[in-house]
């Protein structure tokens, strides 16, 4: 008889745990939202100090002019100034305090109810109303910005999954930096997945920029994630992606749509690494002090395969010796220019590294490309791979 009572106890415990986990997740989400709002509302130090500086300047002026002259009129703009760094409640409170201070200064000079002082009080109240509205609008814009960033972040993590540190028989590391940071995703793409056919990897670059390029990225990655599990031959997988891009081009009426791409397949049991290059930059085989481009057959980019004269080339088997890493990258790296218009010397820079494991390569490129070019004008995607 005790047996039937065991399951309900365990289920109830799981539900309580799930509820607790849900509360914790909710608290973490709230904390992230509050932190993002604080960042969006953050103002420069000078803006936060300006109301106090204005108050000090007014009081100093009050002491330097005859007592018959009230300098409180300078405080009329204080509520609007406060709106650049404070919320609507604080602006309203600052308005009340400002009018009170103006009245005290006018009373000190014996002009509390004189007409020009009454107009000053009224002007300050109106400035307070406008400042409160400004602060409210500023918070609304901050919320909209935080929501936009959250959507961009969700889009990026939905379309571009984080690169796993280890997949199949490979160690991996990745870098992705869209030129248009507000989108969270650009025209470069990558994906890494473990299938029954081996570890399959895609890295590519869509022709064009903007939302249409993002749409193509989502289409290609979605097709890859399905076909990678269902298609045994790597060359046929590339052909399916080629047809997907061509269909998208026909649907959009864009005859110039194409995607350069590199597809890899790694067998964790044999260590064999096969590669298909569809019009993309040749991967680099990197070891301390040596950098070599991988020689492989190259076909037309995805979406343009129907223009080829003959059948697609067979996948190329690429050696991946111990201590070597394979680097896949987009032209956002090699075409990053410095102030003199010089391109980033990728191979030369990698040849100086004493360590070339995936994490080291990616961390180095993230720093060094920005140091060379400053602001990125093109999307950057990098994958570094090494046999585990």
């Amino acid at each position: 008889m005790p047996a039937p009572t065991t399951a309900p106890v365990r289920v109830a415990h799981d539900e309580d745990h799930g509820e607790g986990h849900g509360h914790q997740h909710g608290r973490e989400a709230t904390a992230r939202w509050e932190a993002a709002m604080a960042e969006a509302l953050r103002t420069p130090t000078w803006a936060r100090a300006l109301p106090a500086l204005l108050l000090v300047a007014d009081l100093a002026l009050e002491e330097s002019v005859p007592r018959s002259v009230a300098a409180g009129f300078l405080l009329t703009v204080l509520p609007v100034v406060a709106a650049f760094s404070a919320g609507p409640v604080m602006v309203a409170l600052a308005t009340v305090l400002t009018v009170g201070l103006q009245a005290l200064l006018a009373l000190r000079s014996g002009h509390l109810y004189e007409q020009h002082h009454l107009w000053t009080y009224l002007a300050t109240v109106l400035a307070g109303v406008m400042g409160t509205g400004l602060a409210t609008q500023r918070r609304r814009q901050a919320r909209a910005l935080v929501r936009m960033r959250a959507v961009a972040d969700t889009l990026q993590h939905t379309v571009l999954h984080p690169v796993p540190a280890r997949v199949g028989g490979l160690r991996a590391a990745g870098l992705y930096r869209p030129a248009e940071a507000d989108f969270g995703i650009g025209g470069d793409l990558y994906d890494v997945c473990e299938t029954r056919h081996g570890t399959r990897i895609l890295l590519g670059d869509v022709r064009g920029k903007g939302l249409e390029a993002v749409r193509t990225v989502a289409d290609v990655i979605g097709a890859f994630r399905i076909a990678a599990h269902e298609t045994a031959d790597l060359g046929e997988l590339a052909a399916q992606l080629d047809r997907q891009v061509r269909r998208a081009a026909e649907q959009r009426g864009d005859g110039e749509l194409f995607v350069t791409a590199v597809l890899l397949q790694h067998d964790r049991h044999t260590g064999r690494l096969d590669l298909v290059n569809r019009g993309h930059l040749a991967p680099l085989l990197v070891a301390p002090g040596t950098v070599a481009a991988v020689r492989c057959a190259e076909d037309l980019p995805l979406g343009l395969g129907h223009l080829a004269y003959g059948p697609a080339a067979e996948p190329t088997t690429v050696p991946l010796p111990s201590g070597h890493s394979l680097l896949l990258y987009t032209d956002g790296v090699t075409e990053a220019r410095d102030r003199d218009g010089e391109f980033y010397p990728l191979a030369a820079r990698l040849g100086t590294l004493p360590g070339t494991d995936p994490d080291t390569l990616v961390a180095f490129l993230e720093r060094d490309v920005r140091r060379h070019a400053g602001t990125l004008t093109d999307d950057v995607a990098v994958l570094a791979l090494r046999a585990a």
Side-chain angles (χ1 to χ4, degrees):
M1 290 298 293
T5 63
T6 308
V9 171
R10 180 177 57 81
V11 170
H13 176 75
D14 289 344
E15 288 175 353
D16 291 343
H17 177 74
E19 184 178 355
H21 179 74
H23 287 314
Q24 180 180 359
H25 180 74
R27 287 193 297 270
E28 291 175 353
T30 301
R32 287 196 301 270
W33 173 266
E34 291 175 350
M37 275 293 293
E39 178 66 25
L41 289 169
R42 182 175 297 173
T43 53
T45 302
W46 66 264
R48 296 195 298 272
L50 201 55
L53 293 176
L54 182 61
L55 179 61
V56 171
D58 184 82
L59 294 178
L61 182 61
E62 178 73 19
E63 289 299 322
S64 64
V65 299
R67 181 163 294 189
S68 59
V69 178
F73 64 89
L74 286 181
L75 299 177
T76 301
V77 298
L78 193 146
V80 174
V81 173
F84 286 97
S85 58
V89 174
M90 291 302 297
V91 172
L93 180 60
T95 302
V96 173
L97 294 177
T98 300
V99 173
L101 180 58
Q102 288 174 328
L104 288 175
L105 294 175
L107 179 63
R108 178 173 175 266
S109 61
H111 300 155
L112 179 61
Y113 297 111
E114 287 193 3
Q115 187 174 12
H116 68 280
H117 286 286
L118 295 178
W119 283 112
T120 299
Y121 309 151
L122 178 60
T124 304
V125 171
L126 292 176
V129 172
M130 290 186 289
T132 303
L134 177 62
T136 301
Q137 180 62 23
R138 181 168 153 270
R139 284 189 171 272
R140 287 176 180 169
Q141 291 177 338
R143 288 191 184 96
L145 178 62
V146 170
R147 289 192 186 99
M148 182 179 69
R149 288 177 177 172
V151 169
D153 184 67
T154 301
L155 175 64
Q156 183 182 32
H157 286 84
T158 299
V159 177
L160 301 172
H161 293 169
V163 177
R166 187 180 295 267
V167 56
L170 294 172
R171 292 170 53 199
L175 168 65
Y176 191 88
R177 292 291 181 271
E180 299 184 59
D182 289 343
F183 285 176
I185 182 171
D188 288 358
L189 58 95
Y190 71 83
D191 199 38
V192 180
C193 61
E194 180 68 14
T195 75
R196 58 195 173 98
H197 308 297
T199 303
R200 286 184 157 170
I201 299 159
L202 167 69
L203 183 135
D205 186 358
V206 176
R207 184 204 65 83
K209 299 180 181 296
L211 293 176
E212 282 301 315
V214 173
R215 181 180 174 187
T216 303
V217 166
D219 287 345
V220 173
I221 290 182
F224 173 78
R225 286 175 181 162
I226 295 174
H229 291 274
E230 303 299 329
T231 308
D233 183 73
L234 186 63
E236 176 56 28
L237 173 59
Q240 289 190 34
L241 298 181
D242 176 81
R243 292 191 291 270
Q244 172 64 30
V245 175
R246 186 180 177 189
R247 282 193 296 269
E250 291 173 348
Q251 291 171 358
R252 302 176 198 175
D254 184 359
E256 297 182 353
L257 177 63
F258 63 84
V259 179
T260 66
V262 175
L263 292 98
L264 299 176
Q265 177 175 292
H266 182 259
D267 188 324
R268 66 185 304 173
H269 302 293
T270 64
R272 175 171 173 170
L273 181 66
D274 292 329
L275 183 149
V276 170
N277 190 334
R278 298 300 298 262
H280 199 74
L281 298 168
L284 298 178
L285 198 59
V286 185
T290 65
V291 180
V294 174
R295 295 186 177 183
C296 59
E298 184 176 326
D299 285 320
L300 292 175
L302 302 177
L304 303 180
H306 62 289
L307 301 178
Y309 290 108
E314 292 295 319
T316 301
T317 299
V318 178
L320 188 57
S322 175
H324 287 66
S325 293
L326 188 69
L327 186 74
L328 314 179
Y329 56 96
T330 59
D331 60 11
V333 176
T334 54
E335 294 183 2
R337 297 173 182 262
D338 62 12
R339 293 180 179 178
D340 299 325
E342 296 294 328
F343 290 122
Y344 179 72
L346 177 61
R349 296 295 294 149
L350 293 179
T352 65
L353 293 179
T356 58
D357 61 277
D359 290 330
T360 299
L361 285 175
V362 167
F364 172 77
L365 289 175
E366 183 171 18
R367 296 190 308 270
D368 204 49
V369 174
R370 284 192 178 276
R371 185 182 300 117
H372 176 84
T375 302
L376 297 177
T377 58
D378 196 5
D379 307 318
V380 167
V382 173
L383 287 178
L385 310 165
R386 174 176 287 198

